[in-house]
Amino acid sequence: MELTIEQGPFGHAPDGEPLSLYTLRNRTGMVVKVTNWGAIITAIEVPDRDGRLADVTFGFETPEPYFGDSPYFGALIGRYGNRIAAGRFTLDGRTVQLDTNNGPNHLHGGVTGFDKVIWHAAPFTTDLTVGLTLTHTSPDGDQGYPGQLDVTVTYELNDDNELLVIFRATTDQATPVNLTQHAYFNLAGSGTVLDHEVTIHADRYVPIDATSIPLGPLAPVAGTPFDFRTPRTVGALIDADDEQLRNGQGYDHNFVLNKPAPGALSLAATVREPVSGRGLELYTQEPGVQFYTGNFLDGTLTGKGVQYGRREALCLEPQHFPDSPNRPEYPNTILRPGEVYSTRSLFRFTVTA
């Protein structure tokens, strides 16, 4: 068996342009499928403890469900992952107004974010990896953002069942950038994720208001349902009497990662599914990770022959903190001309006996 990447048809974009689906395979049987529509990961197949493959991420078999108001299954998110309050911020003395597409706020790049455009895709192979590099140019004024942004994302798969995601961007005007990958995971392949054991290496998290905008100060996880510093099942405290859980209707919060040094590629979170033995380790250079437990899925969406129900998937989105352009105390998200936005995250799939 060789490392391979195959290109096949994936229907047509709303303007009629043909779309492609790229299937990456490693020598151990892991499969990752990516479409050039939105640089979306549509499927990830990994083995369980008995070697049986299952698709452990939510997605669709045709492109049409991705065109509308979908929950960002597998999406490449940009220019800014997460929310910006009222879609407004001040940059170098000028007020910038973005699309508002999540109640009063701006979410995941706006109405036509990076998940709803065609990317240019270039497959590649090396001795040790197989991958896909996708590029997109976001024009000045796109969804209200200033400046032209040239973006590259690379998905690279190796034989250790590791999927490396590399982002790079440059701009000709100062603009906020916070790219992320929005895969929904269910390591059992189906059913609830309430029995998934989660560890998040974070002493603090970002409390939010009822519209999921940060309240400001970071809060300690100690003594709260947000303490995942040691393994805890998703369902253990998800329905606890806690204002923050009510605001998110479960977990939908950004965790402030404990980093050995700023920008270090370090272990952020671990997930274990006890029945299949599958595990997931997330390593990232990002300062935070958004932990979301599929609270707003309601069974009305069907993909791959399965109804996607509430709390049947979880997301670990490596990123900067929400509303950072309005929070000078948070790590900086403003990219300026002459600078290069560059960040990596690695999803390692494991098996335990």
Side-chain angles (χ1 to χ4, degrees):
M1 185 181 295
E2 297 295 323
L3 288 158
T4 62
I5 181 166
E6 299 173 358
Q7 179 182 356
F10 195 60
H12 294 80
D15 66 359
E17 184 170 340
L19 299 173
S20 294
L21 186 68
Y22 297 84
T23 302
L24 291 65
R25 286 187 173 89
N26 69 8
R27 295 182 181 95
T28 63
M30 180 173 167
V31 175
V32 178
K33 297 182 179 181
V34 181
T35 174
N36 61 333
W37 177 261
I40 290 169
I41 295 175
T42 67
I44 299 176
E45 299 174 13
V46 293
D48 67 5
R49 62 165 58 94
D50 297 316
R52 293 179 297 229
L53 289 175
D55 189 346
V56 297
T57 193
F58 283 8
F60 303 111
E61 294 177 303
T62 61
E64 288 79 12
Y66 292 112
F67 298 158
D69 187 22
S70 73
Y72 304 97
F73 290 156
L76 190 288
I77 301 295
R79 287 187 193 187
Y80 196 95
N82 220 311
R83 293 164 179 86
I84 296 176
R88 188 182 305 120
F89 57 92
T90 300
L91 179 58
D92 297 338
R94 179 169 70 97
T95 299
V96 177
Q97 180 64 57
L98 308 175
D99 283 350
T100 52
N101 61 321
N102 184 241
N105 305 316
H106 176 86
L107 174 67
H108 291 339
V111 174
T112 309
F114 289 176
D115 62 305
K116 289 184 171 58
V117 297
I118 298 175
W119 291 63
H120 174 75
F124 66 89
T125 57
T126 72
D127 289 342
L128 299 175
T129 65
V130 61
L132 188 68
T133 297
L134 301 111
T135 55
H136 171 63
T137 295
S138 172
D140 181 25
D142 188 7
Q143 314 304 297
Y145 286 97
Q148 175 177 300
L149 190 74
D150 294 305
V151 186
T152 301
V153 57
T154 299
Y155 295 118
E156 192 167 6
L157 175 67
N158 66 22
D159 285 331
D160 293 323
N161 288 357
E162 295 174 340
L163 179 64
L164 179 64
V165 183
I166 305 170
F167 293 121
R168 188 182 188 276
T170 57
T171 185
D172 61 2
Q173 294 183 45
T175 189
V177 182
N178 183 31
L179 306 178
T180 192
Q181 221 304 320
H182 204 305
Y184 284 65
F185 295 108
N186 182 317
L187 297 182
S190 62
T192 178
V193 293
L194 295 178
D195 63 346
H196 283 44
E197 291 184 348
V198 174
T199 306
I200 303 176
H201 299 283
D203 294 334
R204 297 175 295 166
Y205 77 105
V206 181
I208 55 174
D209 67 16
T211 69
S212 297
I213 292 297
L215 295 172
L218 307 176
V221 301
T224 77
F226 296 85
D227 191 351
F228 285 90
R229 293 175 295 178
T230 55
R232 172 184 285 170
T233 63
V234 171
L237 295 174
I238 197 170
D239 290 318
D241 183 13
D242 180 90
E243 182 178 19
Q244 282 301 304
L245 289 174
R246 288 192 291 274
N247 285 349
Q249 298 188 36
Y251 296 106
D252 191 8
H253 294 75
N254 206 282
F255 285 71
V256 181
L257 297 174
N258 302 333
K259 307 291 290 188
L265 183 69
S266 58
L267 182 62
T270 303
V271 185
R272 297 275 184 261
E273 199 286 305
V275 177
S276 68
R278 294 187 186 95
L280 170 63
E281 298 171 353
L282 168 64
Y283 296 77
T284 185
Q285 291 184 284
E286 290 296 290
V289 62
Q290 185 83 5
F291 177 47
Y292 171 55
T293 47
N295 313 309
F296 301 105
L297 300 176
D298 59 7
T300 58
L301 290 174
T302 299
K304 308 168 191 175
V306 178
Q307 284 186 305
Y308 292 140
R310 187 169 189 250
R311 297 177 177 170
E312 292 187 354
L314 60 85
C315 301
L316 292 167
E317 308 157 49
Q319 57 184 251
H320 275 59
F321 308 154
D323 203 31
S324 290
N326 291 311
R327 312 279 176 166
E329 69 274 23
Y330 290 178
N332 174 58
T333 57
I334 303 301
L335 181 68
R336 297 184 178 276
E339 299 176 343
V340 177
Y341 175 97
S342 179
T343 185
R344 296 176 298 158
S345 296
L346 183 135
F347 298 85
R348 174 184 290 161
F349 293 88
T350 63
V351 175
T352 54

